[in-house]
Amino acid sequence: ENIENQAPIIEALEKERDEVKAELENIIERNTELNNSLSGIELLAQKRMEKYEKMKEQENSLRNELHIKESRLVMLTDLEKNMEGYQGSVKSVMKEVQRGTLRGIHAPVSQIISVKDKYSLAIETALGAQIQNIVTDTENDAKKAIGYLKESHAGRATFLPLTAIKGRVLDEKGLDDCYGYINLASSLVEYDKKYDEIIKSLLGRTVVAEDLDAAIAIAKKYNYKFKIVTLDGQVVNAGGSMTGGAKLQNAGILSRGNQLEKLKSECDELKEKLQLMEKDVQSQQESAASVSAELEGCKAEITALGEEKIRVEGLLALKNGNLDNLTGARQSAEEEKAQLKERIDGINSGVCEAQEKLLSLQSELEAVESELSGLTGDRESISEKREKLTADAAQINLDIATAQKEIEAKQEEIARLQ
């Protein structure tokens, strides 16, 4: 009964053991998967971090470039605002214009035109000092400005009234076919149409050529009738005189305006690029952080699985130990039960033998009793034989009783073991 009672306990324990074993196998399998994934996640995290750092370097490079250009822009803006390079008289007039004391004043010639960089030196050379001439609405506006300069002893300046200036444009046949000819200077500048006569008067009779050789050849062909300037600032004057050498004093005023426009455009473009780059950097940083978090999560899970594996292994060892103890106890009980049954069988066999011997003795006793009744032998001998048979029978009965008692004791022992 004890063995039978242990059977469901062992069965339940085996089920628990199998469940714990399956849990351990799942932990080992998951741990293997995570370790296989770990190297891939680490590589991905490294690549994304490297990409983030590279993009950050590009962002810093753009930021530095923008800072340099903005600093240059501020400097040029200050120079333009303070009219650096202009005559004192021109500065003085324009300051009065800003104060509102002089009206009808537009701007110096340099500020009403724009020129491509490759032509700026040629146009500055063609204009010479005229680049600082001041455009006015009328002759009366010019007169008031001259009066101001006279009264304030601020110097001299040349004024170009829109109502008075009339320009002429050079019209020589065959110029377009001349080697090295570029165009008329007036055609190489951009300006508001209201300044058309002024620009024609200043640049309409000046030719721009590629170099000095081309300028000389053109001048000779047209008998030195008009002025020719080259892209690098050399001049063949009308009449044949030539002017050249180093950069003119006024050179740079016109190109400075071009630089300002160019720098403004470049700064705006850099700002747009920087904004896009900042977004990309932020996105890449978040992407790298996401993979890093995934990596840390994977490592944390591996660590947790290691701890769980230790716990489950301990639990499995405990279950196996309990199962071994119960199985061993049941096996010992089975062996002891078998030994007791074998002993009972042996005792029962001895009882059967004793009973058979008792029957044999009873038969012999009956024969003795028969001899006594017939007086066919020695009485004394027969009496002794009867006494001996009676004693043997009594001993056998005693042995049977002892054996039965031993059987009862063994059965009690079996019951106790169960």
Side-chain angles (χ1 to χ4, degrees), residues 145-277:
I146 291 171
Y148 161 73
L149 290 174
K150 184 178 179 180
E151 291 175 3
S152 60
H153 303 286
R156 299 169 64 84
T158 300
F159 296 89
L160 304 174
L162 290 173
T163 54
I165 302 298
K166 303 296 178 183
R168 291 187 303 116
V169 177
L170 188 66
D171 186 17
E172 295 289 342
K173 296 181 180 179
L175 271 175
D176 293 344
D177 298 327
C178 292
Y179 175 79
Y181 171 80
I182 294 177
N183 211 331
L184 291 178
S186 58
S187 298
L188 297 177
V189 298
E190 296 178 1
Y191 54 90
D192 193 305
K193 289 301 180 183
K194 65 184 178 183
Y195 302 123
D196 191 49
E197 294 298 326
I198 289 177
I199 300 305
K200 287 179 181 178
S201 71
L202 295 173
L203 300 172
R205 297 186 58 78
T206 301
V207 169
V208 178
E210 289 187 359
D211 52 36
L212 189 57
D213 290 337
I216 292 172
I218 294 171
K220 284 181 179 180
K221 182 176 180 179
Y222 290 93
N223 199 25
Y224 302 100
K225 290 182 180 180
F226 45 81
K227 183 166 70 172
I228 305 172
V229 297
T230 65
L231 294 178
D232 63 349
Q234 314 307 317
V235 185
V236 178
N237 297 296
S241 64
M242 298 171 63
T243 304
K247 206 172 183 181
L248 295 174
Q249 183 178 0
N250 291 318
I253 292 178
L254 195 57
S255 61
R256 185 169 67 200
N258 289 344
Q259 289 181 41
L260 275 170
E261 293 301 320
K262 184 179 179 181
L263 278 173
K264 287 177 182 177
S265 177
E266 289 176 351
C267 285
D268 291 340
E269 184 178 350
L270 281 173
K271 286 177 181 178
E272 290 180 4
K273 286 184 178 179
L274 187 59
Q275 288 177 351
L276 293 175
M277 180 61 71

Side-chain angles (χ1 to χ4, degrees), residues 24-48:
L24 181 60
E25 290 174 354
N26 290 334
I27 290 172
I28 293 172
E29 182 179 356
R30 178 59 179 162
N31 189 66
T32 302
E33 291 175 358
L34 287 173
N35 278 295
N36 291 337
S37 301
L38 185 62
S39 57
I41 298 174
E42 285 177 337
L43 181 60
L44 180 61
Q46 180 182 355
K47 287 183 177 179
R48 290 196 180 178

Side-chain angles (χ1 to χ4, degrees), residues 13 47 55 60 78 80 87 101 125 137 157 162 177 180-181 216 232 257-258 263 305 339 342 351 367 396 413:
L13 194 56
K47 287 183 177 179
M55 290 176 69
N60 292 334
D78 288 341
E80 191 71 8
Q87 296 174 1
T101 57
T125 303
D137 281 332
L162 290 173
D177 298 327
Y181 171 80
I216 292 172
D232 63 349
N258 289 344
L263 278 173
L305 280 174
Q339 292 174 359
E342 183 180 353
V351 169
I396 288 172
E413 187 174 355

Side-chain angles (χ1 to χ4, degrees), residues 290-306:
S290 174
V291 176
S292 296
E294 183 180 356
L295 178 62
E296 293 303 318
C298 184
K299 289 180 178 178
E301 188 173 355
I302 288 175
T303 302
L305 280 174

Side-chain angles (χ1 to χ4, degrees), residues 3 15 18 20 26 35 86 98 107 121 134 136 171 175-176 196 207 209 227 232 321 330 356 393 407:
I3 291 170
K15 184 178 179 181
D18 292 340
V20 174
N26 290 334
N35 278 295
Y86 288 87
Q98 292 175 0
L121 181 56
I134 300 172
T136 66
D171 186 17
L175 271 175
D176 293 344
D196 191 49
V207 169
K227 183 166 70 172
D232 63 349
R330 183 173 67 175
E356 290 176 358
I407 288 171

Side-chain angles (χ1 to χ4, degrees), residues 354 357-359 361-362 365 386-402:
K357 188 175 182 181
L358 182 60
L359 291 174
L361 289 174
Q362 286 176 345
L365 185 59
R386 183 176 62 182
E387 290 176 358
K388 184 178 182 303
L389 288 173
T390 301
D392 289 341
Q395 184 61 46
I396 288 172
N397 283 325
L398 180 61
D399 290 341
I400 289 173
T402 301

